[in-house]
Amino acid sequence: MNSPYVRTTSECDARRSERGMALAMAVIMLLVMTIGVMGIWKLVDSIIGVSASYYRKTTTRGAAVAQSGMLMETIANSITAATVAPTPGLIILEDIDKLYQELSGGGFAGIDYSDSPDPDSPNFNPDFRYTIDNIEVYGDVDFAQRIPLSGGSIEFASAYDGVGQGQTLGSSFVIQNHVRVIAVDPSGARTEVRFMAVR
């Protein structure tokens, strides 16, 4: 009868084999857990990056939209008098006469539809720039169309000419302008906004 304290060679080999298998399983489990943790870390990092990008995008879009409509009204209302009402952060970069032509379509001679407010464009030549917080906003205005308003002083002729066609005098018009605005923040995030200004 064998003593419980004495092991045969085959028993020792089996024990060693079991220990080796346990070590191999522990290493494999450790490797799988490491890969899992790294994957989760990458996913979290990616989500943070997307969120930060979205935040910058919404911030620049807010800056572009928030002031552009008001600024267009300020520019359009004051430029007819060849002077721009002082507005914090607003700088007119275009020649006043040319900007007036681009706003009103007067003569069409000074209108340049190739101008771009995009700093990366070879045709970068914005009409105005303004700064809001630390975001630079560049804008370009182009004449779209001039629509005669019905009910003018000589609209009585509409039975003959048609509604809206009877007036040939006065300034009863709606002027539409295409406005393209690009906002850029210090990190380089940018948003483009296009809208139709009506006055």
Side-chain angles (χ1 to χ4, degrees), residues 19-45:
R19 287 188 193 133
M21 187 62 91
L23 179 61
M25 289 298 292
V27 168
I28 290 170
M29 289 295 291
L30 189 60
L31 185 62
V32 168
M33 287 173 58
T34 303
I35 291 170
V37 168
M38 286 177 63
I40 292 171
W41 177 77
K42 261 317 226 182
L43 178 64
V44 169
D45 190 49

PDB file of all heavy atoms in Angstrom, residues 19-45:
ATOM      1  N   ARG A  19      -0.932  22.418 -13.337  1.00  0.00           N
ATOM      2  CA  ARG A  19      -0.414  23.755 -13.024  1.00  0.00           C
ATOM      3  C   ARG A  19      -0.107  24.530 -14.292  1.00  0.00           C
ATOM      4  O   ARG A  19      -0.365  25.713 -14.398  1.00  0.00           O
ATOM      5  CB  ARG A  19       0.841  23.630 -12.157  1.00  0.00           C
ATOM      6  CG  ARG A  19       0.558  23.220 -10.739  1.00  0.00           C
ATOM      7  CD  ARG A  19       1.805  23.311  -9.898  1.00  0.00           C
ATOM      8  NE  ARG A  19       1.596  22.638  -8.631  1.00  0.00           N
ATOM      9  CZ  ARG A  19       2.434  21.771  -8.081  1.00  0.00           C
ATOM     10  NH1 ARG A  19       3.556  21.464  -8.711  1.00  0.00           N
ATOM     11  NH2 ARG A  19       2.178  21.222  -6.938  1.00  0.00           N
ATOM     12  N   GLY A  20       0.473  23.867 -15.268  1.00  0.00           N
ATOM     13  CA  GLY A  20       0.795  24.520 -16.550  1.00  0.00           C
ATOM     14  C   GLY A  20      -0.458  24.999 -17.265  1.00  0.00           C
ATOM     15  O   GLY A  20      -0.498  26.091 -17.825  1.00  0.00           O
ATOM     16  N   MET A  21      -1.500  24.158 -17.230  1.00  0.00           N
ATOM     17  CA  MET A  21      -2.771  24.523 -17.867  1.00  0.00           C
ATOM     18  C   MET A  21      -3.407  25.725 -17.161  1.00  0.00           C
ATOM     19  O   MET A  21      -3.934  26.632 -17.797  1.00  0.00           O
ATOM     20  CB  MET A  21      -3.724  23.332 -17.819  1.00  0.00           C
ATOM     21  CG  MET A  21      -4.997  23.574 -18.610  1.00  0.00           C
ATOM     22  SD  MET A  21      -4.682  23.829 -20.335  1.00  0.00           S
ATOM     23  CE  MET A  21      -4.822  22.166 -20.923  1.00  0.00           C
ATOM     24  N   ALA A  22      -3.343  25.752 -15.843  1.00  0.00           N
ATOM     25  CA  ALA A  22      -3.900  26.873 -15.069  1.00  0.00           C
ATOM     26  C   ALA A  22      -3.161  28.165 -15.386  1.00  0.00           C
ATOM     27  O   ALA A  22      -3.768  29.232 -15.533  1.00  0.00           O
ATOM     28  CB  ALA A  22      -3.818  26.572 -13.576  1.00  0.00           C
ATOM     29  N   LEU A  23      -1.848  28.075 -15.530  1.00  0.00           N
ATOM     30  CA  LEU A  23      -1.052  29.255 -15.863  1.00  0.00           C
ATOM     31  C   LEU A  23      -1.412  29.772 -17.253  1.00  0.00           C
ATOM     32  O   LEU A  23      -1.593  30.980 -17.463  1.00  0.00           O
ATOM     33  CB  LEU A  23       0.440  28.918 -15.775  1.00  0.00           C
ATOM     34  CG  LEU A  23       1.396  30.055 -16.131  1.00  0.00           C
ATOM     35  CD1 LEU A  23       1.202  31.228 -15.165  1.00  0.00           C
ATOM     36  CD2 LEU A  23       2.839  29.570 -16.116  1.00  0.00           C
ATOM     37  N   ALA A  24      -1.530  28.837 -18.205  1.00  0.00           N
ATOM     38  CA  ALA A  24      -1.893  29.229 -19.574  1.00  0.00           C
ATOM     39  C   ALA A  24      -3.269  29.889 -19.603  1.00  0.00           C
ATOM     40  O   ALA A  24      -3.479  30.917 -20.259  1.00  0.00           O
ATOM     41  CB  ALA A  24      -1.857  28.008 -20.490  1.00  0.00           C
ATOM     42  N   MET A  25      -4.243  29.346 -18.873  1.00  0.00           N
ATOM     43  CA  MET A  25      -5.593  29.924 -18.817  1.00  0.00           C
ATOM     44  C   MET A  25      -5.585  31.312 -18.171  1.00  0.00           C
ATOM     45  O   MET A  25      -6.270  32.220 -18.632  1.00  0.00           O
ATOM     46  CB  MET A  25      -6.524  28.997 -18.018  1.00  0.00           C
ATOM     47  CG  MET A  25      -6.874  27.704 -18.729  1.00  0.00           C
ATOM     48  SD  MET A  25      -7.767  27.972 -20.254  1.00  0.00           S
ATOM     49  CE  MET A  25      -9.285  28.606 -19.640  1.00  0.00           C
ATOM     50  N   ALA A  26      -4.772  31.477 -17.132  1.00  0.00           N
ATOM     51  CA  ALA A  26      -4.677  32.786 -16.457  1.00  0.00           C
ATOM     52  C   ALA A  26      -4.101  33.827 -17.402  1.00  0.00           C
ATOM     53  O   ALA A  26      -4.581  34.966 -17.469  1.00  0.00           O
ATOM     54  CB  ALA A  26      -3.813  32.668 -15.205  1.00  0.00           C
ATOM     55  N   VAL A  27      -3.065  33.432 -18.176  1.00  0.00           N
ATOM     56  CA  VAL A  27      -2.448  34.370 -19.131  1.00  0.00           C
ATOM     57  C   VAL A  27      -3.453  34.742 -20.217  1.00  0.00           C
ATOM     58  O   VAL A  27      -3.584  35.916 -20.595  1.00  0.00           O
ATOM     59  CB  VAL A  27      -1.160  33.760 -19.731  1.00  0.00           C
ATOM     60  CG1 VAL A  27      -0.675  34.577 -20.912  1.00  0.00           C
ATOM     61  CG2 VAL A  27      -0.078  33.654 -18.667  1.00  0.00           C
ATOM     62  N   ILE A  28      -4.192  33.746 -20.720  1.00  0.00           N
ATOM     63  CA  ILE A  28      -5.188  34.010 -21.772  1.00  0.00           C
ATOM     64  C   ILE A  28      -6.289  34.934 -21.241  1.00  0.00           C
ATOM     65  O   ILE A  28      -6.693  35.895 -21.902  1.00  0.00           O
ATOM     66  CB  ILE A  28      -5.781  32.688 -22.305  1.00  0.00           C
ATOM     67  CG1 ILE A  28      -4.715  31.939 -23.122  1.00  0.00           C
ATOM     68  CG2 ILE A  28      -7.015  32.944 -23.155  1.00  0.00           C
ATOM     69  CD1 ILE A  28      -5.087  30.535 -23.493  1.00  0.00           C
ATOM     70  N   MET A  29      -6.770  34.663 -20.023  1.00  0.00           N
ATOM     71  CA  MET A  29      -7.804  35.514 -19.428  1.00  0.00           C
ATOM     72  C   MET A  29      -7.311  36.943 -19.228  1.00  0.00           C
ATOM     73  O   MET A  29      -8.031  37.911 -19.480  1.00  0.00           O
ATOM     74  CB  MET A  29      -8.260  34.937 -18.074  1.00  0.00           C
ATOM     75  CG  MET A  29      -9.074  33.663 -18.192  1.00  0.00           C
ATOM     76  SD  MET A  29     -10.634  33.927 -19.013  1.00  0.00           S
ATOM     77  CE  MET A  29     -11.482  34.905 -17.810  1.00  0.00           C
ATOM     78  N   LEU A  30      -6.080  37.066 -18.776  1.00  0.00           N
ATOM     79  CA  LEU A  30      -5.478  38.391 -18.588  1.00  0.00           C
ATOM     80  C   LEU A  30      -5.386  39.127 -19.918  1.00  0.00           C
ATOM     81  O   LEU A  30      -5.674  40.323 -20.000  1.00  0.00           O
ATOM     82  CB  LEU A  30      -4.095  38.238 -17.945  1.00  0.00           C
ATOM     83  CG  LEU A  30      -3.406  39.527 -17.491  1.00  0.00           C
ATOM     84  CD1 LEU A  30      -4.248  40.256 -16.458  1.00  0.00           C
ATOM     85  CD2 LEU A  30      -2.028  39.221 -16.925  1.00  0.00           C
ATOM     86  N   LEU A  31      -4.998  38.423 -20.972  1.00  0.00           N
ATOM     87  CA  LEU A  31      -4.892  39.018 -22.309  1.00  0.00           C
ATOM     88  C   LEU A  31      -6.262  39.474 -22.813  1.00  0.00           C
ATOM     89  O   LEU A  31      -6.407  40.592 -23.328  1.00  0.00           O
ATOM     90  CB  LEU A  31      -4.276  37.990 -23.267  1.00  0.00           C
ATOM     91  CG  LEU A  31      -3.988  38.473 -24.686  1.00  0.00           C
ATOM     92  CD1 LEU A  31      -2.965  39.605 -24.667  1.00  0.00           C
ATOM     93  CD2 LEU A  31      -3.501  37.333 -25.546  1.00  0.00           C
ATOM     94  N   VAL A  32      -7.280  38.619 -22.643  1.00  0.00           N
ATOM     95  CA  VAL A  32      -8.640  38.966 -23.076  1.00  0.00           C
ATOM     96  C   VAL A  32      -9.153  40.187 -22.312  1.00  0.00           C
ATOM     97  O   VAL A  32      -9.742  41.107 -22.889  1.00  0.00           O
ATOM     98  CB  VAL A  32      -9.590  37.758 -22.889  1.00  0.00           C
ATOM     99  CG1 VAL A  32     -11.050  38.172 -23.038  1.00  0.00           C
ATOM    100  CG2 VAL A  32      -9.249  36.653 -23.877  1.00  0.00           C
ATOM    101  N   MET A  33      -8.926  40.224 -21.004  1.00  0.00           N
ATOM    102  CA  MET A  33      -9.371  41.364 -20.197  1.00  0.00           C
ATOM    103  C   MET A  33      -8.654  42.645 -20.610  1.00  0.00           C
ATOM    104  O   MET A  33      -9.254  43.716 -20.687  1.00  0.00           O
ATOM    105  CB  MET A  33      -9.145  41.079 -18.706  1.00  0.00           C
ATOM    106  CG  MET A  33     -10.121  40.058 -18.139  1.00  0.00           C
ATOM    107  SD  MET A  33      -9.746  39.549 -16.453  1.00  0.00           S
ATOM    108  CE  MET A  33      -9.778  41.081 -15.578  1.00  0.00           C
ATOM    109  N   THR A  34      -7.353  42.547 -20.904  1.00  0.00           N
ATOM    110  CA  THR A  34      -6.592  43.724 -21.340  1.00  0.00           C
ATOM    111  C   THR A  34      -7.146  44.272 -22.641  1.00  0.00           C
ATOM    112  O   THR A  34      -7.343  45.486 -22.796  1.00  0.00           O
ATOM    113  CB  THR A  34      -5.096  43.369 -21.507  1.00  0.00           C
ATOM    114  OG1 THR A  34      -4.606  42.853 -20.282  1.00  0.00           O
ATOM    115  CG2 THR A  34      -4.289  44.581 -21.928  1.00  0.00           C
ATOM    116  N   ILE A  35      -7.413  43.363 -23.607  1.00  0.00           N
ATOM    117  CA  ILE A  35      -7.972  43.796 -24.900  1.00  0.00           C
ATOM    118  C   ILE A  35      -9.348  44.436 -24.687  1.00  0.00           C
ATOM    119  O   ILE A  35      -9.665  45.468 -25.282  1.00  0.00           O
ATOM    120  CB  ILE A  35      -8.055  42.600 -25.874  1.00  0.00           C
ATOM    121  CG1 ILE A  35      -6.646  42.167 -26.288  1.00  0.00           C
ATOM    122  CG2 ILE A  35      -8.887  42.950 -27.100  1.00  0.00           C
ATOM    123  CD1 ILE A  35      -6.578  40.871 -27.050  1.00  0.00           C
ATOM    124  N   GLY A  36     -10.170  43.844 -23.814  1.00  0.00           N
ATOM    125  CA  GLY A  36     -11.490  44.407 -23.528  1.00  0.00           C
ATOM    126  C   GLY A  36     -11.416  45.794 -22.932  1.00  0.00           C
ATOM    127  O   GLY A  36     -12.131  46.707 -23.345  1.00  0.00           O
ATOM    128  N   VAL A  37     -10.534  45.971 -21.953  1.00  0.00           N
ATOM    129  CA  VAL A  37     -10.372  47.284 -21.307  1.00  0.00           C
ATOM    130  C   VAL A  37      -9.874  48.320 -22.307  1.00  0.00           C
ATOM    131  O   VAL A  37     -10.346  49.466 -22.338  1.00  0.00           O
ATOM    132  CB  VAL A  37      -9.428  47.177 -20.088  1.00  0.00           C
ATOM    133  CG1 VAL A  37      -9.018  48.549 -19.594  1.00  0.00           C
ATOM    134  CG2 VAL A  37     -10.096  46.392 -18.970  1.00  0.00           C
ATOM    135  N   MET A  38      -8.906  47.912 -23.164  1.00  0.00           N
ATOM    136  CA  MET A  38      -8.395  48.850 -24.175  1.00  0.00           C
ATOM    137  C   MET A  38      -9.490  49.247 -25.165  1.00  0.00           C
ATOM    138  O   MET A  38      -9.587  50.409 -25.575  1.00  0.00           O
ATOM    139  CB  MET A  38      -7.206  48.223 -24.914  1.00  0.00           C
ATOM    140  CG  MET A  38      -5.933  48.182 -24.077  1.00  0.00           C
ATOM    141  SD  MET A  38      -4.565  47.358 -24.911  1.00  0.00           S
ATOM    142  CE  MET A  38      -4.312  48.417 -26.299  1.00  0.00           C
ATOM    143  N   GLY A  39     -10.347  48.261 -25.533  1.00  0.00           N
ATOM    144  CA  GLY A  39     -11.463  48.562 -26.439  1.00  0.00           C
ATOM    145  C   GLY A  39     -12.436  49.545 -25.819  1.00  0.00           C
ATOM    146  O   GLY A  39     -12.891  50.490 -26.474  1.00  0.00           O
ATOM    147  N   ILE A  40     -12.762  49.337 -24.557  1.00  0.00           N
ATOM    148  CA  ILE A  40     -13.685  50.247 -23.855  1.00  0.00           C
ATOM    149  C   ILE A  40     -13.075  51.640 -23.740  1.00  0.00           C
ATOM    150  O   ILE A  40     -13.750  52.646 -23.949  1.00  0.00           O
ATOM    151  CB  ILE A  40     -14.047  49.675 -22.467  1.00  0.00           C
ATOM    152  CG1 ILE A  40     -14.902  48.425 -22.629  1.00  0.00           C
ATOM    153  CG2 ILE A  40     -14.767  50.709 -21.613  1.00  0.00           C
ATOM    154  CD1 ILE A  40     -15.137  47.650 -21.360  1.00  0.00           C
ATOM    155  N   TRP A  41     -11.776  51.700 -23.433  1.00  0.00           N
ATOM    156  CA  TRP A  41     -11.097  53.004 -23.321  1.00  0.00           C
ATOM    157  C   TRP A  41     -11.137  53.739 -24.657  1.00  0.00           C
ATOM    158  O   TRP A  41     -11.403  54.928 -24.718  1.00  0.00           O
ATOM    159  CB  TRP A  41      -9.655  52.784 -22.866  1.00  0.00           C
ATOM    160  CG  TRP A  41      -8.884  54.066 -22.790  1.00  0.00           C
ATOM    161  CD1 TRP A  41      -8.943  55.020 -21.832  1.00  0.00           C
ATOM    162  CD2 TRP A  41      -7.953  54.549 -23.765  1.00  0.00           C
ATOM    163  NE1 TRP A  41      -8.101  56.064 -22.119  1.00  0.00           N
ATOM    164  CE2 TRP A  41      -7.478  55.796 -23.316  1.00  0.00           C
ATOM    165  CE3 TRP A  41      -7.468  54.039 -24.966  1.00  0.00           C
ATOM    166  CZ2 TRP A  41      -6.546  56.545 -24.035  1.00  0.00           C
ATOM    167  CZ3 TRP A  41      -6.547  54.787 -25.678  1.00  0.00           C
ATOM    168  CH2 TRP A  41      -6.101  56.025 -25.202  1.00  0.00           C
ATOM    169  N   LYS A  42     -10.905  52.999 -25.777  1.00  0.00           N
ATOM    170  CA  LYS A  42     -10.948  53.615 -27.114  1.00  0.00           C
ATOM    171  C   LYS A  42     -12.344  54.127 -27.421  1.00  0.00           C
ATOM    172  O   LYS A  42     -12.510  55.208 -27.990  1.00  0.00           O
ATOM    173  CB  LYS A  42     -10.556  52.584 -28.159  1.00  0.00           C
ATOM    174  CG  LYS A  42      -9.149  52.591 -28.685  1.00  0.00           C
ATOM    175  CD  LYS A  42      -8.617  53.927 -28.968  1.00  0.00           C
ATOM    176  CE  LYS A  42      -7.940  53.968 -30.312  1.00  0.00           C
ATOM    177  NZ  LYS A  42      -7.384  55.269 -30.564  1.00  0.00           N
ATOM    178  N   LEU A  43     -13.352  53.331 -27.046  1.00  0.00           N
ATOM    179  CA  LEU A  43     -14.735  53.721 -27.300  1.00  0.00           C
ATOM    180  C   LEU A  43     -15.096  54.985 -26.532  1.00  0.00           C
ATOM    181  O   LEU A  43     -15.677  55.926 -27.089  1.00  0.00           O
ATOM    182  CB  LEU A  43     -15.671  52.574 -26.908  1.00  0.00           C
ATOM    183  CG  LEU A  43     -17.168  52.838 -27.072  1.00  0.00           C
ATOM    184  CD1 LEU A  43     -17.512  53.044 -28.538  1.00  0.00           C
ATOM    185  CD2 LEU A  43     -17.978  51.696 -26.480  1.00  0.00           C
ATOM    186  N   VAL A  44     -14.729  55.039 -25.265  1.00  0.00           N
ATOM    187  CA  VAL A  44     -15.004  56.223 -24.435  1.00  0.00           C
ATOM    188  C   VAL A  44     -14.278  57.440 -24.994  1.00  0.00           C
ATOM    189  O   VAL A  44     -14.846  58.536 -25.106  1.00  0.00           O
ATOM    190  CB  VAL A  44     -14.603  55.963 -22.959  1.00  0.00           C
ATOM    191  CG1 VAL A  44     -14.630  57.245 -22.157  1.00  0.00           C
ATOM    192  CG2 VAL A  44     -15.524  54.928 -22.337  1.00  0.00           C
ATOM    193  N   ASP A  45     -13.014  57.249 -25.393  1.00  0.00           N
ATOM    194  CA  ASP A  45     -12.228  58.345 -25.970  1.00  0.00           C
ATOM    195  C   ASP A  45     -12.877  58.861 -27.250  1.00  0.00           C
ATOM    196  O   ASP A  45     -12.957  60.062 -27.495  1.00  0.00           O
ATOM    197  CB  ASP A  45     -10.803  57.853 -26.249  1.00  0.00           C
ATOM    198  CG  ASP A  45      -9.874  58.992 -26.618  1.00  0.00           C
ATOM    199  OD1 ASP A  45      -9.853  60.006 -25.896  1.00  0.00           O
ATOM    200  OD2 ASP A  45      -9.174  58.875 -27.648  1.00  0.00           O
TER     201      ASP A  45
END
